[in-house]
Amino acid sequence: MIDYLAEAKALFTYTQSMRRDFHIHPELGFHEVRTGGIVAKELESLGLEVTKGIGKTGVVGLLEGTKPGPTLLIRFDMDALPISEDTGAEYTSQNQGVMHACGHDGHTAIGLTVAKILQKHRNELAGTVKFCFQPSEEGYNGEEMGGAQMMIRDGVLDGPKVDNTLSLHLWNEKPLGWIGVAKGPVMAGAEQFTIKLTGKGGHGAAPHLTIDPIAAAAQVINALQTVTSRNVAPLQAAVVSVTTVHSGTAFNVIPQEAELTGTIRTFDPAVRQKVLERFDQIARGVAETMGCKAEVNVQRVTPAVINDDAVAARVQQTARTLLPEAALDTAPYMTMGAEDMAFMQEKVPGCYFFIGSNNKEKHLDYGHHHPKFDFDEEALMRGAALMASAAADILK
Ligand code: NI
């Protein structure tokens, strides 16, 4: 029996130094040149077959076991966010305005650690592990699609054909020690929308001669609140958030146009369908009632991340054996955040799990995407141990 936790512990200094190096030098989506370069070099030094440039800055490494078997893709995202770091940590970002505020520096370090562990036990591996270091999870960043989609376009799921996927996220919503491995939906599907309202501009003192798009926008925003409160069943999950409102140039001018943008989140395809329908009807209908024309544009960002029951059950079993003292949580766990791993799990059965990483005593409990976000690095060890042992188990 391989003691994966002990192996991850023995490699902790390596994992931590990698994580801190990535943290000091964060790179935005599709610009992970330095990060990807280090990843490729590390994987090559282990003797893996490495391909660069899959999804622009993505890196893929193949580790073949000595026995034949299926192919498992394990994915780690590498990108940082356009945030100015305010943690005061000794490893603070040296790239002004860019910060690893979601923990992807930790994911990349975990991936390299898993590669070391599995390479050492290659003789016991049945099948192939495809290490997938993905760029731009956080968005398109000026490209026509995000990192996961671009890697799929470039063939990451073929040659060899991927049978299952595993991926993880360090999770500051939960304390160090908590491990969340759930069946079914875990991350919401996301859409982004724009509503452009066109009225008729004029003098602020003569509203009766205008069609005021600001008054119409206010009604539309209010009415949209009823999509989730009146059209979605109380035990179902959905979010409709208007997040930007833009209109007007002067205090005495009624403008011609108003523009709203925002996001819609859902899990269930039927709920999504209903929400999109009502969203469109309300935006157009209310705008029309107010005399305005509405252009409504809704674009899908990602589908929901749905874990495969059988793959999730295997990971739960692994976690129970590996970390008997850990607070393994197998209850349904759904967050309204989005994650582009959904595109891979839409094509291949997989499991996306969470590693609790906050530590209130050490003040490491700010939320993801906060300028003070940081996590307890001990979570890296648990993440690496669970990913390595779950990978080996699934290939068994
Ligand atoms: Ni993230």
Side-chain angles (χ1 to χ4, degrees):
M1 266 284 274
I2 301 163
D3 185 346
Y4 288 96
L5 204 53
E7 305 242 348
K9 263 183 197 153
L11 285 167
F12 181 64
T13 313
Y14 169 80
T15 316
Q16 185 185 46
S17 72
M18 281 293 162
R19 182 265 160 156
R20 292 188 174 192
D21 179 66
F22 296 138
H23 195 90
I24 292 170
H25 307 284
E27 295 171 301
L28 291 175
F30 294 122
H31 295 275
E32 306 90 338
V33 177
R34 181 184 181 278
T35 310
I38 293 170
V39 166
K41 212 181 99 225
E42 290 295 303
L43 297 181
E44 273 161 6
S45 78
L46 293 171
L48 271 65
E49 183 191 327
V50 175
T51 314
K52 291 208 244 181
I54 307 284
K56 263 187 106 108
T57 42
V59 178
V60 174
L62 279 183
L63 175 65
E64 289 190 42
T66 48
K67 297 168 218 163
T71 297
L72 172 73
L73 178 147
I74 55 179
R75 178 275 217 164
F76 308 93
D77 42 10
M78 305 189 288
D79 57 323
L81 286 154
I83 293 174
S84 288
E85 177 158 359
D86 189 23
T87 60
E90 57 184 279
Y91 43 86
T92 289
S93 165
Q94 287 174 8
N95 185 358
Q96 192 51 46
V98 182
M99 176 192 178
H100 269 296
C102 199
H104 301 184
D105 50 343
H107 301 168
T108 309
I110 287 173
L112 294 176
T113 308
V114 172
K116 272 186 184 284
I117 297 173
L118 292 181
Q119 148 66 23
K120 190 174 153 198
H121 299 290
R122 225 185 120 238
N123 288 337
E124 283 129 287
L125 268 190
T128 303
V129 183
K130 193 180 265 192
F131 287 85
C132 169
F133 288 87
Q134 186 203 300
S136 212
E137 185 278 327
E138 300 285 2
Y140 293 9
N141 213 21
E143 299 294 331
E144 71 269 35
M145 56 183 79
Q149 273 183 297
M150 209 181 278
M151 289 192 90
I152 293 170
R153 187 196 68 185
D154 289 355
V156 77
L157 297 178
D158 313 303
K161 195 180 163 306
V162 173
D163 298 292
N164 289 125
T165 70
L166 288 181
S167 48
L168 55 69
H169 209 298
L170 294 166
W171 208 235
N172 257 28
E173 308 294 312
K174 296 284 184 180
L176 179 72
W178 180 90
I179 306 266
V181 189
K183 295 177 181 175
V186 288
M187 302 280 268
E191 339 275 326
Q192 59 180 34
F193 65 77
T194 307
I195 303 172
K196 196 169 146 192
L197 301 164
T198 307
K200 188 175 148 213
H203 202 292
H208 59 296
L209 302 177
T210 73
I211 299 171
D212 184 353
I214 291 181
Q219 301 289 343
V220 169
I221 293 167
N222 270 330
L224 285 177
Q225 309 308 313
T226 66
V227 176
T228 50
S229 70
R230 302 292 89 182
N231 299 128
V232 176
L235 294 177
Q236 291 277 15
V239 171
V240 176
S241 289
V242 177
T243 54
T244 73
V245 182
H246 286 110
S247 184
T249 51
F251 85 96
N252 54 0
V253 176
I254 289 174
Q256 190 82 10
E257 286 173 353
E259 192 175 88
L260 315 174
T261 69
T263 188
I264 296 171
R265 305 285 165 113
T266 54
F267 287 96
D268 184 78
V271 171
R272 173 174 180 265
Q273 199 48 46
K274 177 82 175 177
V275 167
L276 294 185
E277 249 172 58
R278 287 301 291 148
F279 179 86
D280 194 77
Q281 284 166 353
I282 288 173
R284 283 179 207 284
V286 172
E288 196 182 317
T289 302
M290 300 298 292
C292 283
K293 236 184 38 209
E295 265 174 61
V296 181
N297 187 346
V298 182
Q299 264 188 315
R300 171 169 260 197
V301 182
T302 62
V305 179
I306 315 278
N307 281 349
D308 180 78
D309 284 357
V311 181
R314 294 296 297 274
V315 180
Q316 288 172 351
Q317 190 49 46
T318 303
R320 261 183 221 110
T321 319
L322 180 77
L323 306 156
E325 90 286 8
L328 172 66
D329 189 350
T330 58
Y333 186 74
M334 297 173 15
T335 108
M336 298 315 286
E339 159 63 73
D340 70 356
M341 193 57 204
F343 288 107
M344 298 207 195
Q345 287 188 223
E346 214 178 29
K347 298 196 186 312
V348 176
C351 177
Y352 185 97
F353 54 92
F354 299 91
I355 308 288
S357 57
N358 86 38
N359 188 329
K360 285 193 167 42
E361 275 156 35
K362 295 186 188 165
H363 305 290
L364 301 171
D365 59 345
Y366 286 92
H368 294 265
H369 296 204
H370 190 284
K372 287 184 189 292
F373 171 84
D374 201 356
F375 56 84
D376 192 321
E377 287 174 325
E378 212 185 306
L380 298 170
M381 220 151 55
R382 295 169 156 269
L386 180 54
M387 182 57 94
S389 92
D393 280 353
I394 281 176
L395 288 179
K396 245 175 215 157

